[in-house]
């Protein structure tokens, strides 16, 4: 029979440990975020609907984005046991330079619209973490300001070729003068995708004040205060645009760009050249003939052609055929450090994160971006230890099985 006794104070003392309250609301909410999805939920609460949906949404039915994320969930890891993983090395070399982690920050347009610290927060956080930062042609901070925010880090510049080609190449020249070491030429935007959330929200650049947006802003006063009391949104290309983002892309971007143009652009850049937006093995082969340094397997985060190929599914074949020709980077759908580990194991040399870091930005500015990088870094390191792989070089296709839900019908369709 159990013997009962009255608990003594000395027995209770170790059990009664009170945590010092955190008075800083931003630090408190970011500390409570353990995953990128947690940051997304915080971002949704704090950001007006139109800019949040611009970040979170994709084209048409948003099938491409959903499938890309599902592909990372549909994997099976195969851990190796009894390996010394007391120390894990997550560093790598990509495009001739170092990165402390196997991912960098992808180029994103209109970033200060999502949170006022914008590109400067992203570049500063990337520099502090020792990873590359990519500035978009449609960024809302200047090339020179980004270089100043990340003076000792690696900055990459992403190019959209406009109909006004002289203006496009003037940006390229500025990036080269500012020390950017890599040019990302995006090739999957001959026209803007049908981003229906933006159309339904009446999303304009910059955001318009309507009765609907005012009502939506009521519980998000901090966002509007920051937006209205900081430098107005400005772009390398224009000061104001009254239409949707897709309409802006259709007005500015050149749908005639072809492989000869790509070859010419590559000749103008003194550093490394990467082609972003490869979605078939045939295009990967054709780009290899031009002699670029790398490619990004990407369907633009699902924001262009809906039902586009899943980059993670395309990766193994491209890696087998062309992994010795150039460096392979992968984006679209990454929401967890385990996704990044799986991509490296299946043949990617590097990955890029877009929404994952933007959720952190919207959740807490520069500190939120730092937190997003920290979350992914911790997940990468933990996954590598559990797989028994002390370095990225130890990862191989043997560690991952892709479990595919979507396969071509017999005799119909092609993966190329």
């Amino acid at each position: 029979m159990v013997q009962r006794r009255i608990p003594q104070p000395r027995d209770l003392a170790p059990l009664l440990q009170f945590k010092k309250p955190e008075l800083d609301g931003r630090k408190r909410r970011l500390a409570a975020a353990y995953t990128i999805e947690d940051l997304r939920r915080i971002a949704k609460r704090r950001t007006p609907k139109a800019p949040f949906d611009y970040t979170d949404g994709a084209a048409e039915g948003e099938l491409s984005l959903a499938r890309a994320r599902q592909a990372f969930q549909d994997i099976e890891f195969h851990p190796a046991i009894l390996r010394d993983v007391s120390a894990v090395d997550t560093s790598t070399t990509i495009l001739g330079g170092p990165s402390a982690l196997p991912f960098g920050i992808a180029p994103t347009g209109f970033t200060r619209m999502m949170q006022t610290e914008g590109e400067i927060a992203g570049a500063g956080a990337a520099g502090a973490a020792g990873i590359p930062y990519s500035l978009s042609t449609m960024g809302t901070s200047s090339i020179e300001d980004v270089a100043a925010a990340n003076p000792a880090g690696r900055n990459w510049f992403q190019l959209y070729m406009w109909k006004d080609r002289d203006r496009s190449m003037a940006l390229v020249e500025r990036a080269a003068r500012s020390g950017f070491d890599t040019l990302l030429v995006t090739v999957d935007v001959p026209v803007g995708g049908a981003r229906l959330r933006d159309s339904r929200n009446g999303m304009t650049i910059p955001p318009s004040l309507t009765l609907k947006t005012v009502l939506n802003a009521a519980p998000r006063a901090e966002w509007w205060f920051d937006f209205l009391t900081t430098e107005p949104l400005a772009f390398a290309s224009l000061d104001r645009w009254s239409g949707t983002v897709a309409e802006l892309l259709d007005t500015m971007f050149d749908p005639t760009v072809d492989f000869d143009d790509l070859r010419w652009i590559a000749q103008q850049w003194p550093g490394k050249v990467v082609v972003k937006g490869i979605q078939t093995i045939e295009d990967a082969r054709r780009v290899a003939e031009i002699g670029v340094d790398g490619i990004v397997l990407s369907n633009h985060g699902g924001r262009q052609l809906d039902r586009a190929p899943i980059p993670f599914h395309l990766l193994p074949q491209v890696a087998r055929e062309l992994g010795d020709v150039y460096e392979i980077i992968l984006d679209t759908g990454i929401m967890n450090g385990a996704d990044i580990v799986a991509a490296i194991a299946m043949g990617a040399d590097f990955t890029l994160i877009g929404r994952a870091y933007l959720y952190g930005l919207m959740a807490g500015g520069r500190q939120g971006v730092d937190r997003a990088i920290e979350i992914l870094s911790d997940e990468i390191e933990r996954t590598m230890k559990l797989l028994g792989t002390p370095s990225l070089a130890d990862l191989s296709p043997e560690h991952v099985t892709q479990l595919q839900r979507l396969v071509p019908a017999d005799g119909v369709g092609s993966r190329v």
Side-chain angles (χ1 to χ4, degrees):
M1 185 172 183
V2 175
Q3 298 295 316
R4 305 289 180 180
R5 67 183 181 85
I6 298 174
Q8 300 299 310
R10 65 176 179 273
D11 299 326
L12 295 175
L15 304 177
L16 301 174
Q17 298 183 16
F18 297 98
K19 188 176 181 181
K20 182 180 178 181
E22 175 56 70
L23 301 180
D24 186 319
R26 178 177 293 191
K27 289 183 180 179
R28 186 169 61 248
R29 67 176 177 266
L30 292 177
Y34 298 102
T35 66
I36 298 299
E37 181 57 37
D38 287 343
L39 290 175
R40 179 187 176 276
R41 284 191 285 268
I42 296 170
K44 187 173 184 178
R45 291 199 306 268
R46 301 188 61 79
T47 310
K49 181 175 175 59
F52 178 82
D53 277 358
Y54 171 75
T55 305
D56 192 59
E60 301 191 41
E62 304 189 359
L63 297 175
S64 290
L65 176 59
R67 290 174 180 177
R69 287 181 173 169
Q70 187 66 54
F72 282 116
Q73 295 176 36
D74 290 345
I75 64 172
E76 181 179 84
F77 280 126
H78 306 292
I81 62 171
L82 300 176
R83 307 299 200 272
D84 181 359
V85 289
S86 56
V88 167
D89 182 6
T90 62
S91 66
T92 190
T93 299
I94 184 70
L95 298 169
S99 179
L101 295 161
F103 68 89
I105 290 182
T108 58
F110 316 113
T111 313
R112 286 187 55 234
M113 177 183 66
M114 302 158 201
Q115 202 275 348
T116 190
E117 297 175 54
E119 290 87 359
I120 302 305
I131 64 176
Y133 175 80
S134 308
L135 174 65
S136 170
T137 295
M138 305 307 292
T140 44
S141 297
S142 73
I143 291 167
E144 293 76 16
D145 285 348
V146 167
N150 188 21
R154 298 187 64 195
N155 294 312
W156 298 354
F157 184 71
Q158 176 266 335
L159 174 68
Y160 288 122
M161 182 57 78
W162 299 334
K163 294 173 182 175
D164 185 345
R165 296 196 174 193
D166 289 341
R167 203 169 187 181
S168 295
M169 298 314 293
L171 291 176
V172 171
E173 292 172 6
R174 283 171 57 193
R177 288 197 305 269
S178 296
F180 285 55
D181 64 67
T182 295
L183 183 68
L184 302 175
V185 184
T186 296
V187 295
D188 58 355
V189 189
V191 297
R195 301 171 192 177
L196 300 184
R197 290 204 215 182
D198 294 348
S199 299
R200 289 166 180 148
N201 289 331
M203 174 67 176
T204 61
I205 305 296
S208 301
L209 285 171
T210 64
L211 178 60
K212 182 178 179 180
T213 56
V214 168
L215 291 174
N216 182 253
R220 300 169 177 85
E222 183 179 348
W223 186 95
W224 281 103
F225 177 79
D226 287 341
F227 179 77
L228 295 172
T229 60
T230 55
E231 187 71 20
L233 291 186
F235 309 90
S237 53
L238 73 165
D239 291 326
R240 185 177 179 88
W241 175 258
S242 59
T244 66
V245 174
E247 290 168 344
L248 172 61
L249 303 187
D250 288 346
T251 299
M252 294 180 61
F253 292 177
D254 187 350
T256 70
V257 174
D258 59 18
F259 283 91
D260 289 335
D261 294 311
L262 175 61
R263 183 178 288 104
W264 177 81
I265 293 168
Q267 292 170 350
Q268 311 307 306
W269 180 256
K272 301 288 186 178
V273 176
V274 174
V275 180
K276 183 177 184 293
I278 299 297
Q279 299 176 67
T280 69
I281 185 66
E282 179 57 33
D283 280 342
R285 293 188 188 109
R286 290 195 66 182
V287 168
E289 296 171 1
I290 294 175
V292 299
D293 301 287
I295 60 170
V296 182
L297 298 179
S298 169
N299 64 30
H300 213 99
R303 297 166 72 80
Q304 285 300 106
L305 175 66
D306 206 13
R307 300 176 177 84
I310 299 168
F312 184 56
H313 285 174
L314 184 62
L315 173 62
Q317 184 179 3
V318 174
R320 282 194 301 269
E321 292 197 26
L322 298 166
D324 293 333
V325 177
Y326 43 41
E327 293 177 275
I328 300 169
I329 301 171
L330 182 133
D331 77 8
T332 302
I334 292 172
M335 289 285 284
N336 190 290
D339 302 341
I340 295 171
V341 171
I344 300 300
M346 295 303 291
D349 296 292
F350 202 64
T351 61
L352 293 174
I353 60 165
R355 289 182 180 88
Y357 109 86
L358 292 174
Y359 293 140
L361 177 69
M362 291 185 289
R366 163 64 192 274
Q367 294 176 45
V369 181
D370 289 335
R371 182 62 180 145
I373 294 172
E374 180 182 31
I375 287 170
L376 292 172
S377 176
D378 289 345
E379 290 169 343
I380 289 169
E381 185 171 335
R382 181 168 59 251
T383 302
M384 290 175 64
K385 286 183 176 181
L386 292 172
L387 282 175
T389 53
S391 73
L392 298 175
D394 294 312
L395 291 165
S396 75
E398 295 179 355
H399 290 104
V400 179
T401 296
Q402 292 181 324
L403 307 174
Q404 294 189 13
R405 296 171 185 241
L406 303 174
V407 295
D410 290 343
V412 179
S414 170
R415 289 285 298 278
V416 301

